[in-house]
Amino acid sequence: EAGVAQSPRYKIIEKRQSVAFWCNPISGHATLYWYQQILGQGPKLLIQFQNNGVVDDSQLPKDRFSAERLKGVDSTLKIQPAKLEDSAVYLCASSLTKSANYGYTFGSGTRLTVV
Amino acid sequence: GQQLNQSPQSMFIQEGEDVSMNCTSSSIFNTWLWYKQDPGEGPVLLIALYKAGELTSNGRLTAQFGITRKDSFLNISASIPSDVGIYFCAGPPGNTPLVFGKGTRLSVIA
């Protein structure tokens, strides 16, 4: 089966600019996650979707970050305006159900550098 | 938020040596997962553990679910160059998404 697809792979922007990342999960996976991984850290959850509804966005900095999954398949994550501390790898993951017990399948990530 | 503490942070070993790393939590977990991340890639699931005391193997990798349910261990036997990467423990604290440790970075010297 095809894996989780993410684009772009790399992005360099200046601070205060906006940027968007795209994710296409594994076909049939109802649950989609966006994680932020800062260099030297483990992934940290930003938002969890179940189909096209938000389940958990408690750690999403909502003043600058937004995410949507309009048709319950693809998702986009946007940052506007970007700050230097947003430099990180943004990982998308998906799972068949909301249960975390069987793990998630991750995409290769988008590496964002804010200068 | 919930934190998982992994140790060591990094290790350099000779090819052929065995490796041990561990992960501890301040609260009880019902599931422990171990992931490996190669450079430029997302984490890949290696082993999943579901019961206290459980020992599970995947090739040269063996992981254990600690008896207190607050820790887990990963061992790699006879390391090879492709074992290089970052190993993360992860688990769901309750009925919530996965939280990850900071990782153990493994370097193998041929």
Side-chain angles (χ1 to χ4, degrees), chain A residues 5-44:
Chain A
Q6 289 190 246
S7 69
R9 284 301 307 269
Y10 306 93
K11 191 77 179 176
I12 301 175
I13 62 171
E14 294 184 348
K15 59 183 178 185
R16 292 188 288 273
Q17 285 188 324
S18 61
V19 64
F21 314 126
W22 174 82
C23 172
N24 182 248
I26 290 175
S27 178
H29 279 196
T31 314
L32 184 148
Y33 313 82
W34 284 101
Y35 278 80
Q36 180 193 57
Q37 186 177 20
I38 291 171
L39 189 64
Q41 305 280 324
K44 178 188 147 192

Side-chain angles (χ1 to χ4, degrees), chain A residues 79-93:
Chain A
I79 308 175
Q80 181 180 7
K83 291 186 175 181
L84 296 177
E85 60 259 37
D86 298 331
S87 294
V89 174
Y90 290 85
L91 294 163
C92 179

